[in-house]
Amino acid sequence: MESNDVEDEEFGFSRNYFLAKELCGSGKKSARKLSEIGVVDEQELRDAYTKIESKHEKEIGDLVSSYRKSYSEWAFVLRCGFGLLMYGFGSKKALIEDFASTALTDYSVIVINGYLQSVNLKQVAVTLAELLWEQLKMHRKSTSESQPKSQQPFLTRSMDDLISFLDGPHLEDDECFVCVLVNNIDGPGLRDSETQQYLSRLAACSHIRMVASIDHVNAPLLWDKKMVHTQFNWYWYHVPTYAPYKVEGTFFPLILAHSGSAQSVKTASIVLQSLTPNAQSVFKVLAEHQIAHSEEEGMPFNNLYTICRERFLVSSQITLNAHLTEFKDHELVKTRRNADGEDCLYVPLTSEALQKLVQEITQ
Amino acid sequence: MAPVADIPSSPSIPIAESNLQPFFILHKASPRKPAAKTRRKIDLSPRTADGSTEEHIDNLRFETFKFLSSNTESVIKDVLKNLNVNVFDEIDKWVHISFDAIRACKTLDSASSTRPYPILDNASIAVPGASRQIFTGLLFTKNMEFVDDILTFSDLGEHLKSRGCYVANFSSLDFSAKNGVGGCLKTLLRQFLMVDIDAPEMSILASWYTEKGNNENPLVLIIEDVERCYGPVLNDFIIMLREWVIKIPIILILGVATTVDSLRSTLTSNGFLYLSVCEFTLGTPAERMDAVIEAVLLKRCQRFSVGKQVSTFLRNYFLRHDGTLTLFLRALKIAMVQHVCAAPFLRCTFRKLVDEDFDDNSILLTETFLKQARDIPSFQRYCQRSANSANWANGLSDMKRLRKLWSSTVMCLYEVGKYRKTTLLDLYCEVLEPGPDNSNSPDHMQLPKHNTMSLHNHDSIGCPKKEGYVGWAIQRVRDLPVVELCKLLNRWEMLTRGIKEIHEKVKELHSLTTFEANHPKLDQTETPRRQAAARNKVNEKTDKATVNEKVATFLQCIVGEYIQPIESIPFNEIVFFDDAEKLQTALIGDPRRRIQVDLLESNKFLKCSCCSKNSGMPVPSMHNTSIMYSLAQEHGDLINLHEWYHSFKSIVTGTRVQVQKPKKRLKSSPSPSPKKPKDSNEQTKNRSDADIQAEFCRAVIELQMTGLLRMPSKRRPDYVQRVAFGL
């Protein structure tokens, strides 16, 4: 019986897929253009976007509060050494932060916003180590254990060192831990495999507990079996909230906003602000060149290098390349050929948007 | 914790700036109340209904969980270690032989030890070929699921350390392209020297090794999963090690999941030639699984066990999806959490009872305790059955006794099952199943006899399932040759040691068969004659049959008597966990299906009165994203944005007259498409295009975040693409 069910299910999948394909074939004939919708002015659209009234506010409130009675269970599961993974439709940011402020007051809690474009995990680890250090100190005071020797500041330590500090057996009592809440562990800032590896190693530390939320249906593909079973050690909870993804959706372009310049400036400036001052200055050099020579294809690499060196922004081509790779990863900079066949760098924004961006990062 | 009543409708935390910080500290730990952890004694006196009671229960639960899980964990660890111990010893022996071989070369070249490092001087180059290879042990794991072997390798490391080796463990992550050889070396130095070195060099290791008398011991490098390493880095690493192999006696142990060929393809031919290979093999995953189940679910079954639902679910999931022992162990742990959470007082009190070392009787007699005991259904049944002697202590000891008998009977059956490679998990699931064969009904005792003829056929095609495993096992015992029967009884005797109900009888039967087996002279002399005259066989057959028949009858008896349905065991609620559904949701999660269901059936979760009227049909009051996703179901794999927008608009404004798109719905429930503009009065008014468009945009973003949509590409700017088809 059961195997039949599975087969049926699999058959269902493929049938649905081909049906869908078929539908699409017939649909193409009547293709209408997006531009025919009669989209309102972009500013108006954005204003309306910020003022969307949410439906069922009361029911959503009830639903979210109904999870409160599970808080003690969640805290217990966390205490037992599992990581909590919250999924289901709707923003879970408020929910898990409320959970932490209500039920996890005994522990220090740090929140990582994975929906942002870039998150520096090294800094997170340093902060975690400092929090744990404080917590241990507090604990030692209360149990009058001997104070440990002073140590090297965490900031200068390597990631491996930090992780082994967080994992180290500092107390017999294994209940001294720091909680990490990760909003959107499948978000753009955390999605690459290296970051996920670090996160999983952090989660596996004996003094760390992790609570995370996912929104993407394929999020589990980020992890291999080692990460899932031995490091994150997830305990799944299905907690749909239907709350709007207000903050999480900030960085997504509105599908009906054509130019998207306002949005791009905002996201670009947030990305730039997370970079080092030198990187920002390099970007400014490029942007100013583009504003001054808007008719050109872009700035050749060598020119950029010369100027950056003159201003002591970079010491070698390697460092410049590192900055450029970062820019390209975030789609702040692209390359194209000019008439002479040289590769030129340019920022894919209009001049006005670029000016606005330069202003924003100069402030 | 605060009571549920005083909930602020919107949680108080969101602070605008913190939302845009990559991370922030939500709060720091408040000073701990010292009372929480020091309370060790179980106190059942009723408390006032305040926070402290809850905290108390929580602590009790936690203690119980820790008791159960740490116990199980250590048992499993020991079981796995014992399984591997022979291989580990072999490896250890080989390591020391290899080390001696390297040192033998080194003494030839005494001058070089005084020279500065690092050099590979002529003397060492002149040493014959073999010694310039790296001694390499290939440990075949026979298991593609490398996650199951993480523990094996760390155990191996510990084992070798305890025998005086210096050990460093590597995983394939250390041999990534990004890390490079420098990264590997750094990890190596970090593990041996316990310090981080910015500019790693082999000479540092060499000087560490010659310093402070380290040079009496071999250095062992264990690389867990060689197939997943990045070939060029591993190759370079091996070439580098090889240059130093005389001065630093490094011995490699590589975990290989497939065959030695995979290693050949990972390394260049040159790199491979530098290895002097010796092969070792670990036990199969199935063996490990059986050993773990035996140790956890059968031998220690008085504390925690899983019922039929859960074990069947685990078996199916293990076979079909995730055949790792690690998953199985995690599932057990989750089951323990859920078991402990389900009824706090009950478990917490009783876990002490099932603990063998328990001796504090005083707390058991408290009123609360007795009341709880009386509330347990299985105990009530037990009281009804044995009216006069029914008290909790008898019930409890009965439970322990029955569980022991149950598990040793299962183990006896399993021994028979080894003749056809039955796994213990399969057997466990089947025995729990209250089938006709396993039930306690008196007539099933007769069953195998009636089926004597047909069972032969079943055996030959290897499918005796319909008759039940027990029927098969009994018949198998009947058919066993005397020598095999003797072996079987020997194993049974070992298994049932300490359980007098079964053990005595097994011993008796064993001596009977040994007697038979020890009179083979007769048989041997008779053999030629027997072959000549087949008719004489009849007599012998009856002789043999009587012994076999006795053993078979015995097996029948113990199965009939001791394999009882769980429900009949008093206090089974304390020991058994059997909520497969709950376990599954916590263990696996199913975002792909569940998130779609959230969207398609939002009214079930929101429990609003307005949206549930129209079954499956989008109505204006529904959550926007829900409407959009329901509409998307009507499209093919590409959704025309223009059409989608207009259907959305017609829904939210309540003017949807007819869905323009095809009637072929992917969902089985057909949509009652023609919709009257219902209660449109409130909805339609004052809804500007901008509002609707903004809502549309947000819904698209939300669907994009859930991964159910792919955004328009340059090639198809007017379409989004659907990703999921069907739940």
Side-chain angles (χ1 to χ4, degrees):
Chain A
M1 278 306 285
E2 219 172 302
S3 68
N4 276 347
D5 287 350
V6 173
E7 269 166 34
D8 277 355
E9 202 175 284
E10 274 165 17
F11 178 66
F13 271 131
S14 48
R15 193 191 50 190
N16 284 341
Y17 176 76
F18 287 114
L19 274 179
K21 273 280 184 201
E22 213 173 281
L23 279 180
C24 139
S26 61
K28 260 186 186 161
K29 286 166 218 154
S30 63
R32 315 268 305 260
K33 292 263 182 288
L34 180 59
S35 46
E36 290 167 30
I37 289 177
V39 183
V40 295
D41 174 61
E42 190 179 327
Q43 198 49 50
E44 198 183 330
L45 183 67
R46 286 187 192 286
D47 289 345
Y49 186 82
T50 51
K51 288 183 220 137
I52 295 178
E53 281 174 39
S54 49
K55 298 172 177 176
H56 291 302
E57 246 176 43
K58 184 183 161 294
E59 282 86 359
I60 290 177
D62 288 348
L63 181 68
V64 174
S65 341
S66 74
Y67 295 129
R68 281 207 151 205
K69 56 180 183 295
S70 311
Y71 283 3
S72 63
E73 185 192 319
W74 297 356
F76 178 71
V77 170
L78 209 58
R79 214 171 142 193
C80 291
F82 291 93
L84 304 183
L85 187 63
M86 310 302 200
Y87 72 107
F89 181 75
S91 169
K92 292 161 285 293
K93 184 174 162 56
L95 175 71
I96 58 176
E97 284 175 13
D98 180 53
F99 160 63
S101 339
T102 318
L104 301 178
T105 46
D106 282 352
Y107 316 105
S108 303
V109 176
I110 189 169
V111 180
I112 301 178
N113 291 323
Y115 51 78
L116 296 176
Q117 299 298 310
S118 64
V119 177
N120 186 335
L121 273 191
K122 174 81 192 288
Q123 283 171 10
V124 175
V126 169
T127 317
L128 282 172
E130 282 163 359
L131 283 174
L132 178 66
W133 183 247
E134 266 177 50
Q135 224 165 300
L136 289 172
K137 242 179 13 198
M138 209 158 75
H139 192 92
R140 288 204 176 91
K141 240 181 241 164
S142 67
T143 54
S144 65
E145 277 174 42
S146 59
Q147 293 283 328
K149 300 153 268 173
S150 62
Q151 20 186 314
Q152 192 187 348
F154 291 113
L155 203 59
T156 57
R157 296 219 213 163
S158 73
M159 193 71 177
D160 287 330
D161 256 346
L162 290 168
I163 286 176
S164 51
F165 171 75
L166 293 168
D167 197 22
H170 298 290
L171 291 173
E172 281 197 5
D173 170 16
D174 51 359
E175 274 209 71
C176 178
F177 53 79
V178 182
C179 283
V180 185
L181 303 191
V182 190
N183 288 311
N184 295 70
I185 197 167
D186 56 351
L190 303 173
R191 210 170 264 179
D192 61 303
S193 71
E194 199 192 344
T195 313
Q196 288 292 334
Q197 285 289 353
Y198 275 125
L199 278 173
S200 66
R201 286 177 65 192
L202 280 177
C205 291
S206 56
H207 293 281
I208 298 286
R209 293 289 186 281
M210 197 172 270
V211 182
S213 69
I214 59 168
D215 289 301
H216 199 284
V217 289
N218 291 333
L221 298 180
L222 290 171
W223 310 307
D224 62 26
K225 285 179 185 172
K226 179 181 175 189
M227 292 156 93
V228 169
H229 295 325
T230 64
Q231 294 179 310
F232 284 124
N233 201 4
W234 292 131
Y235 193 111
W236 293 74
Y237 278 106
H238 179 233
V239 283
T241 63
Y242 296 93
Y245 289 103
K246 272 189 188 141
V247 202
E248 295 95 326
T250 321
F251 306 102
F252 287 82
L254 300 186
I255 195 158
L256 297 179
H258 291 300
S259 61
S261 63
Q263 188 67 12
S264 322
V265 168
K266 198 170 165 196
T267 41
S269 85
I270 286 170
V271 171
L272 280 170
Q273 272 157 15
S274 72
L275 301 177
T276 58
N278 266 1
Q280 287 180 18
S281 308
V282 171
F283 184 82
K284 241 185 280 171
V285 172
L286 186 60
E288 276 157 6
H289 177 272
Q290 190 170 327
I291 293 166
H293 309 86
S294 56
E295 72 293 344
E296 279 181 20
E297 296 289 320
M299 192 174 190
F301 177 82
N302 282 336
N303 297 8
L304 179 64
Y305 177 60
T306 323
I307 297 176
C308 290
R309 258 195 83 124
E310 279 167 6
R311 299 191 190 170
F312 296 106
L313 297 176
V314 296
S315 55
S316 70
Q317 293 203 359
I318 297 169
T319 27
L320 180 58
N321 267 328
H323 290 314
L324 287 175
T325 315
E326 184 98 33
F327 296 153
K328 282 177 192 162
D329 285 349
H330 292 113
E331 300 204 334
L332 291 172
V333 166
K334 290 185 172 177
T335 50
R336 61 185 165 198
R337 290 254 161 91
N338 67 4
D340 302 336
E342 259 180 319
D343 277 332
C344 292
L345 302 157
Y346 72 101
V347 185
L349 288 175
T350 58
S351 292
E352 302 86 66
L354 202 55
Q355 262 160 356
K356 213 170 150 200
L357 178 62
V358 172
Q359 266 173 16
E360 269 187 36
I361 54 172
T362 325
Q363 280 163 11
Chain B
M1 192 195 303
V4 184
D6 60 42
I7 303 156
S9 59
S10 61
S12 51
I13 312 108
I15 309 156
E17 313 97 69
S18 71
N19 286 339
L20 293 179
Q21 284 165 1
F23 71 94
F24 63 96
I25 297 171
L26 189 68
H27 63 242
K28 291 192 177 178
S30 60
R32 301 270 292 285
K33 286 152 264 173
K37 304 276 334 319
T38 47
R39 199 186 291 124
R40 283 267 179 259
K41 262 203 151 178
I42 303 237
D43 178 8
L44 285 170
S45 56
R47 281 155 181 276
T48 47
D50 60 1
S52 68
T53 321
E54 201 168 315
E55 197 184 307
H56 175 61
I57 295 176
D58 229 39
N59 284 327
L60 281 178
R61 277 181 188 171
F62 185 62
E63 262 181 54
T64 315
F65 169 76
K66 259 195 358 198
F67 168 77
L68 287 175
S69 73
S70 63
N71 213 302
T72 315
E73 244 164 49
S74 62
V75 168
I76 291 170
K77 240 186 143 183
D78 289 348
V79 166
L80 295 178
K81 214 183 252 174
N82 290 339
L83 269 184
N84 293 327
V85 81
N86 289 334
V87 185
F88 286 0
D89 279 339
E90 234 176 278
I91 293 177
D92 176 53
K93 222 179 276 166
W94 166 81
V95 164
H96 282 96
I97 292 171
S98 311
F99 179 59
D100 291 341
I102 298 172
R103 277 162 59 99
C105 296
K106 200 177 177 183
T107 47
L108 290 178
D109 137 59
S110 54
S112 79
S113 61
T114 55
R115 290 190 195 157
Y117 294 96
I119 39 159
L120 184 69
D121 62 10
N122 292 333
S124 48
I125 289 170
V127 173
S131 63
R132 284 172 48 217
Q133 289 184 318
I134 306 171
F135 286 98
T136 308
L138 299 185
L139 185 53
F140 293 105
T141 57
K142 286 192 192 168
N143 186 2
M144 285 311 289
E145 304 284 6
F146 77 104
V147 62
D148 277 353
D149 290 310
I150 297 170
L151 187 66
T152 313
F153 285 103
S154 71
D155 274 349
L156 176 62
E158 292 299 318
H159 185 89
L160 293 176
K161 264 182 207 163
S162 71
R163 306 292 171 91
C165 304
Y166 294 104
V167 182
N169 277 73
F170 289 84
S171 75
S172 57
L173 287 179
D174 296 314
F175 291 90
S176 62
K178 195 187 160 228
N179 239 1
V181 184
C184 304
L185 194 52
K186 211 168 166 179
T187 321
L188 180 70
L189 293 177
R190 192 183 153 81
Q191 294 200 40
F192 282 132
L193 279 68
M194 313 284 180
V195 283
D196 257 344
I197 291 160
D198 287 332
E201 287 247 6
M202 275 303 269
S203 53
I204 302 174
L205 184 66
S207 56
W208 169 80
Y209 187 71
T210 41
E211 246 173 41
K212 59 173 185 181
N214 286 331
N215 49 8
E216 291 306 309
N217 301 310
L219 299 175
V220 181
L221 262 58
I222 304 178
I223 302 174
E224 282 172 14
D225 39 355
V226 141
E227 278 101 339
R228 290 157 57 102
C229 294
Y230 180 63
V233 174
L234 182 63
N235 204 54
D236 290 351
F237 187 67
I238 286 175
I239 292 172
M240 182 187 72
L241 289 185
R242 181 248 175 193
E243 284 176 19
W244 287 86
V245 74
I246 304 296
K247 288 176 186 167
I248 316 170
I250 281 185
I251 294 165
L252 282 176
I253 295 177
L254 309 179
V256 185
T258 52
T259 58
V260 72
D261 291 339
S262 68
L263 187 61
R264 272 203 195 100
S265 58
T266 314
L267 299 176
T268 62
S269 55
N270 227 359
F272 190 74
L273 284 178
Y274 293 149
L275 304 178
S276 153
V277 171
C278 182
E279 297 181 1
F280 304 93
T281 310
L282 287 172
T284 62
E287 279 168 27
R288 272 190 253 182
M289 189 70 175
D290 281 348
V292 166
I293 294 199
E294 181 185 338
V296 178
L297 295 183
L298 292 168
K299 285 205 176 138
R300 317 187 67 86
C301 56
Q302 298 97 321
R303 292 179 179 177
F304 177 78
S305 205
V306 293
K308 197 215 136 210
Q309 307 274 343
V310 169
S311 55
T312 313
F313 156 69
L314 284 178
R315 182 188 57 177
N316 291 344
Y317 200 75
F318 180 76
L319 291 178
R320 288 202 187 121
H321 299 278
D322 187 345
T324 59
L325 187 59
T326 320
L327 171 104
F328 186 81
L329 303 182
R330 202 162 79 87
L332 273 187
K333 252 182 135 177
I334 291 183
M336 283 171 192
V337 172
Q338 294 181 339
H339 190 55
V340 167
C341 281
F345 266 126
L346 196 77
R347 318 281 178 228
C348 298
T349 321
F350 282 96
R351 83 99 162 132
K352 282 282 176 194
L353 302 182
V354 286
D355 187 356
E356 284 87 12
D357 327 320
F358 179 74
D359 55 349
D360 185 5
N361 276 329
S362 58
I363 62 151
L364 299 180
L365 301 170
T366 59
E367 196 50 38
T368 336
F369 170 80
L370 291 174
K371 192 178 163 300
Q372 275 179 33
R374 277 194 295 273
D375 287 346
I376 297 176
S378 65
F379 184 63
Q380 287 168 354
R381 282 197 295 275
Y382 175 78
C383 292
Q384 282 161 12
R385 261 202 316 267
S386 47
N388 45 358
S389 67
N391 62 35
W392 60 268
N394 287 351
L396 210 61
S397 61
D398 258 9
M399 186 267 280
K400 284 185 188 175
R401 190 178 59 87
L402 287 172
R403 292 290 298 142
K404 262 189 194 149
L405 287 167
W406 187 90
S407 54
S408 29
T409 312
V410 173
M411 282 313 292
C412 288
L413 281 171
Y414 174 55
E415 282 301 325
V416 184
K418 280 183 179 167
Y419 291 106
R420 72 160 199 220
K421 298 202 169 93
T422 308
T423 64
L424 192 50
L425 187 55
D426 284 343
L427 176 59
Y428 186 87
C429 294
E430 202 175 320
V431 171
L432 284 175
E433 186 120 30
D437 219 31
N438 304 334
S439 72
N440 207 8
S441 63
D443 49 42
H444 92 279
M445 309 287 278
Q446 305 300 323
L447 190 72
K449 276 188 184 167
H450 295 314
N451 292 331
T452 312
M453 297 308 287
S454 60
L455 274 167
H456 279 284
N457 302 335
H458 280 304
D459 198 2
S460 60
I461 54 170
C463 172
K465 196 137 198 179
K466 272 185 196 153
E467 298 301 332
Y469 179 84
V470 177
W472 172 86
I474 291 168
Q475 188 54 39
R476 181 75 227 196
V477 169
R478 282 204 185 103
D479 293 345
L480 274 184
V482 179
V483 184
E484 284 297 316
L485 193 66
C486 193
K487 279 187 201 159
L488 178 71
L489 282 166
N490 194 17
R491 291 200 297 267
W492 281 7
E493 208 184 315
M494 307 231 277
L495 282 172
T496 55
R497 202 160 282 165
I499 297 158
K500 55 179 186 303
E501 287 94 332
I502 304 178
H503 191 66
E504 290 303 315
K505 186 74 184 156
V506 170
K507 252 165 90 179
E508 202 176 292
L509 287 168
H510 192 197
S511 58
L512 207 67
T513 42
T514 337
F515 177 75
E516 294 257 327
N518 285 344
H519 290 70
K521 298 155 251 162
L522 250 173
D523 282 354
Q524 271 167 9
T525 49
E526 274 178 338
T527 308
R529 220 195 307 162
R530 192 165 58 178
Q531 281 164 347
R535 262 163 275 148
N536 284 351
K537 262 176 91 178
V538 182
N539 286 334
E540 282 162 41
K541 213 177 174 184
T542 27
D543 280 350
K544 185 189 147 207
T546 48
V547 186
N548 283 38
E549 196 58 45
K550 273 183 188 162
V551 180
T553 320
F554 166 71
L555 185 63
Q556 235 174 26
C557 284
I558 56 170
V559 169
E561 203 163 328
Y562 304 131
I563 303 283
Q564 293 178 343
I566 303 171
E567 292 74 29
S568 66
I569 299 173
F571 295 125
N572 68 70
E573 290 90 342
I574 304 166
V575 177
F576 277 97
F577 173 77
D578 205 15
D579 192 343
E581 204 177 314
K582 201 173 165 203
L583 174 66
Q584 184 175 2
T585 48
L587 179 68
I588 302 158
D590 187 4
R592 202 177 168 84
R593 199 177 66 81
R594 297 293 277 271
I595 291 176
Q596 289 188 71
V597 173
D598 291 348
L599 285 169
L600 294 173
E601 295 168 10
S602 58
N603 56 312
K604 279 193 186 156
F605 293 95
L606 289 173
K607 295 190 186 109
C608 58
S609 51
C610 45
C611 306
S612 48
K613 288 177 231 155
N614 300 282
S615 53
M617 183 58 204
V619 287
S621 61
M622 266 164 70
H623 192 285
N624 287 330
T625 315
S626 252
I627 298 178
M628 289 276 283
Y629 195 61
S630 308
L631 288 173
Q633 302 296 307
E634 295 173 358
H635 290 257
D637 70 334
L638 292 179
I639 304 174
N640 182 284
L641 278 167
H642 183 273
E643 287 169 8
W644 200 20
Y645 171 71
H646 278 292
S647 351
F648 174 70
K649 188 176 172 185
S650 61
I651 298 270
V652 291
T653 51
T655 55
R656 186 181 211 198
V657 180
Q658 170 79 49
V659 185
Q660 303 165 346
K661 284 296 298 178
K663 313 243 41 186
K664 262 191 263 174
R665 297 250 318 183
L666 295 179
K667 294 220 42 182
S668 52
S669 61
S671 78
S673 296
K675 268 272 101 246
K676 281 254 172 113
K678 247 189 185 176
D679 42 60
S680 52
N681 294 346
E682 316 102 295
Q683 297 288 341
T684 35
K685 279 176 201 163
N686 307 328
R687 271 193 166 276
S688 69
D689 273 358
D691 288 337
I692 296 171
Q693 286 177 10
E695 282 169 9
F696 180 78
C697 288
R698 176 183 286 172
V700 169
I701 287 177
E702 294 192 336
L703 285 174
Q704 192 188 352
M705 288 184 71
T706 57
L708 293 168
L709 272 195
R710 216 168 284 153
M711 287 296 100
S713 61
K714 269 193 191 132
R715 212 156 56 87
R716 282 194 292 250
D718 299 314
Y719 290 90
V720 289
Q721 205 174 342
R722 272 179 69 191
V723 173
F725 301 95
L727 296 179

